[in-house]
Amino acid sequence: MSLLSPPPARPDLGLDRAAQWAELRRSGRWDLVVIGGGATGLGVALDAAARGWRVALFETHDLAEGTSSRSTKLLHGGVRYLAQGHWPLVREALHERAAVLAHAPHLAQPLPFVVPAYGWVRQALHAVGLSAYGWLAGRRGLGATEILSARQTRACLPTVQAHRLRGSVKYWDGQFDDARLALALARTAAAHGALVLNHCPVVAFTHVGGRLTGVEVQDRESGERLSVSAACVINATGVWVDAVQRLGGGALSAAKVTPSQGVHLVVDRAFLPGGHALLVPKTSDGRVLFAIPWLGKTLLGTTDTARSDVPYEPEPTAAEVDFILQEAGRVLQQAPTRADVRSVWVGLRPLVRAPHSSDATASLSREHSVWTNPDGLVSVTGGKWTTYRAMAEDVLAHCQRNGSLPPAPPVTEHLPLWGRPSAPTRPLVPLSEWPGLHSYGSDATHISTLPGADRPLWTENGQVCLNEAMVRHAVRSEMARTVSDVLARRCRLLFLDAQRAHDLAPRVGELLAEELGPHFDAIASVQACQALAQRYLTLP
């Protein structure tokens, strides 16, 4: 196969959705179509575009709206995976953790973790395991593993349960803003010539002689439907990968995904003040519990519960909520209650189904899988946010081996992502603190010139977390099309305080109506966001 000519380099004008759709109408055949705008699909689109291929990506809903905005916000090798003996997976993830931290320091940063120990033996075991974790990181390590006394532990975690506390082990990992990192991937891919469209589902596949030759897409806003020809089509839809395979019809292999859901509760920062996270490596039922300072709040989670279905808005069970609250109460002086929860949200993990696997999702591999259907559709699932870049390289290598893409070397290992500050003049604001204009990196200067930069919508302790200019930027340069797009993923208010998001939705709807024009149904968009906020407020 010959390499199709890439589009000419152009200055980045942001993700202008109308311009993207107009370009799709003009374009002919593409080297690559990617289905799915989560971490994996965006990673593939960026990698392919950076190599010079013509790439179009389509997302049914909003970018990262599914699993990829509902992670535990950690860039990590996986302490639990180390204990399970998955050393190669841990080593790869630690390598990739360093790459993400370097590529987007305004959105991904090191975070110290403290593992309290209520017995000398347990502290020693933690020290051995976490020292091995640091050793695997090698020169990409973020800090030394330390054994702390009880007094030092309380200095790091002022609200830790002190009764019978013997000490702790401190180690380093990374945290990030997942939805905004997804936007950075999309902006970077677009700057390299990729076409990226959200709210644009693939509704059919096209075949000639039994071979997949492209897709049909439909714009949710206008209803317009277009046929898109491509040399290669990649299904990167996570837990929905099996459903997309069925879209093409014909004989399919057995289901590849075992869905697992992870529940997260957000409570006030007072439950875990300071800049250290807390890890309980083995809860009463053998799971892991995190308490993480994130964007001015405390994030508690998570669970690992098998599901037989893949709803777009999964809901927690009462048992999952009780588990998180009870386990947090064992290690915190003040046990959080249901009344303390500001938002609850659930993500679905696309765990790769193994033959004769057990029903326990905690035992399933976190590695990814890539395969080609008889008609040529390439699918990928599994993995996690930390390894999105390595997954993308593997997917494209698979496409090169099966002949659907020509040879071209990977180039993303040292490629900065959109918004990366070129030379920070001051220390970056930690992700544990409230978000603000600093979250936008190099875009901050431009946003400060937009109308409404002096009109705040959401403030915390004197920090402007959202203003009218940020909403306008979300529409003009980040393809926000709904109130939920803004309040859930362009800023993270829905995930941090669902009641505040509910109350702010009407004003955001007014601003979107100004930006999007008369075709935008502000009432319906506000109502949809408020209904979602109510779900994030309601505990079973």
Side-chain angles (χ1 to χ4, degrees), residues 110-127:
L111 178 68
F113 283 74
V114 176
V115 184
Y118 294 88
W120 303 118
V121 173
R122 189 166 294 277
Q123 185 178 22
L125 291 174
H126 293 166

Side-chain angles (χ1 to χ4, degrees), residues 70-83:
R70 309 180 200 204
S71 73
T72 313
K73 321 307 178 192
L74 296 180
L75 292 167
H76 63 129
V79 173
R80 178 160 57 102
Y81 312 148
L82 185 68

Side-chain angles (χ1 to χ4, degrees), residues 79-445:
V79 173
R80 178 160 57 102
Y81 312 148
L82 185 68
Q84 295 171 345
H86 299 307
W87 288 57
L89 175 62
V90 174
R91 185 185 294 275
E92 177 187 59
L94 290 172
H95 174 90
E96 293 303 314
R97 179 189 69 179
V100 180
L101 293 171
H103 294 169
H106 59 304
L107 298 173
Q109 298 167 3
L111 178 68
F113 283 74
V114 176
V115 184
Y118 294 88
W120 303 118
V121 173
R122 189 166 294 277
Q123 185 178 22
L125 291 174
H126 293 166
V128 171
L130 292 169
S131 294
Y133 188 68
W135 174 79
L136 277 176
R139 60 184 178 83
R140 298 180 180 86
L142 305 178
T145 300
E146 303 175 63
I147 298 176
L148 305 182
S149 66
R151 180 182 60 81
Q152 290 171 315
T153 302
R154 290 193 299 272
C156 294
L157 303 173
T159 55
V160 73
Q161 179 59 255
H163 181 59
R164 301 179 66 182
L165 178 68
R166 300 303 180 190
S168 63
V169 179
K170 177 180 174 180
Y171 75 101
W172 290 80
D173 243 323
Q175 73 172 160
F176 73 128
D177 185 335
D178 49 9
R180 290 215 58 84
L181 186 63
L183 288 167
L185 291 175
R187 294 287 300 277
T188 312
H192 283 83
L195 183 144
V196 179
L197 276 170
N198 61 350
H199 299 289
C200 186
V202 169
V203 294
F205 289 154
T206 57
H207 293 82
V208 173
R211 295 293 298 175
L212 181 62
T213 58
V215 299
E216 291 187 12
V217 299
Q218 186 166 25
D219 181 11
R220 284 192 183 276
E221 291 189 351
S222 66
E224 184 178 358
R225 187 162 171 161
L226 291 176
S227 182
V228 182
S229 298
C232 180
V233 179
I234 294 177
N235 170 16
T237 52
V239 292
W240 296 279
V241 70
D242 291 328
V244 172
Q245 285 193 105
R246 290 191 290 271
L247 185 66
L252 299 175
S253 58
K256 295 287 188 177
V257 173
T258 295
S260 163
Q261 79 172 21
V263 175
H264 304 82
L265 307 180
V266 175
V267 297
D268 287 339
R269 187 64 174 276
F271 285 96
L272 191 73
H276 289 73
L278 185 155
L279 168 66
V280 178
K282 191 171 184 180
T283 59
S284 58
D285 66 351
R287 286 186 276 189
V288 174
L289 180 79
F290 293 102
I292 301 166
W294 186 66
L295 299 183
K297 294 287 188 179
T298 298
L299 174 62
L300 304 175
T302 180
T303 58
D304 200 342
T305 308
R307 292 195 68 123
S308 58
D309 58 348
V310 285
Y312 202 74
E313 282 291 345
E315 296 185 350
T317 66
E320 289 175 308
V321 172
D322 289 341
F323 163 77
I324 293 174
L325 293 174
Q326 289 168 6
E327 293 299 328
R330 294 178 189 271
V331 292
L332 298 176
Q333 291 176 2
Q334 180 183 352
T337 68
R338 287 169 175 259
D340 296 311
V341 176
R342 301 291 180 243
S343 187
V344 54
W345 34 275
V346 184
L348 294 180
R349 304 180 187 92
L351 304 183
V352 177
R353 183 191 298 269
H356 314 299
S357 62
S358 70
D359 293 332
T361 55
S363 67
L364 294 183
S365 173
R366 265 54 177 175
E367 295 181 273
H368 64 276
S369 179
V370 186
W371 68 98
T372 303
N373 278 8
D375 66 351
L377 174 67
V378 176
S379 296
V380 54
T381 195
K384 56 181 182 175
W385 244 117
T386 308
T387 56
Y388 84 86
R389 197 197 63 81
M391 290 171 61
E393 285 191 355
D394 192 27
V395 170
L396 295 178
H398 180 93
C399 295
Q400 290 173 319
R401 288 193 298 271
N402 70 20
S404 54
L405 288 175
V411 295
T412 59
E413 184 166 6
H414 303 291
L415 182 67
L417 297 182
W418 188 264
R420 183 185 188 276
S422 57
T425 57
R426 64 191 67 163
L428 292 166
V429 177
L431 285 169
S432 57
E433 303 302 323
W434 290 108
L437 201 56
H438 56 269
S439 305
Y440 294 83
S442 60
D443 276 341
T445 301

Side-chain angles (χ1 to χ4, degrees), residues 488-508:
R489 289 167 295 280
R490 304 312 183 275
C491 81
R492 309 312 306 276
L493 182 56
L494 182 62
F495 284 71
L496 297 169
D497 190 330
Q499 185 63 58
R500 292 281 296 274
H502 179 282
D503 297 343
L504 188 56
R507 179 57 187 140
V508 173

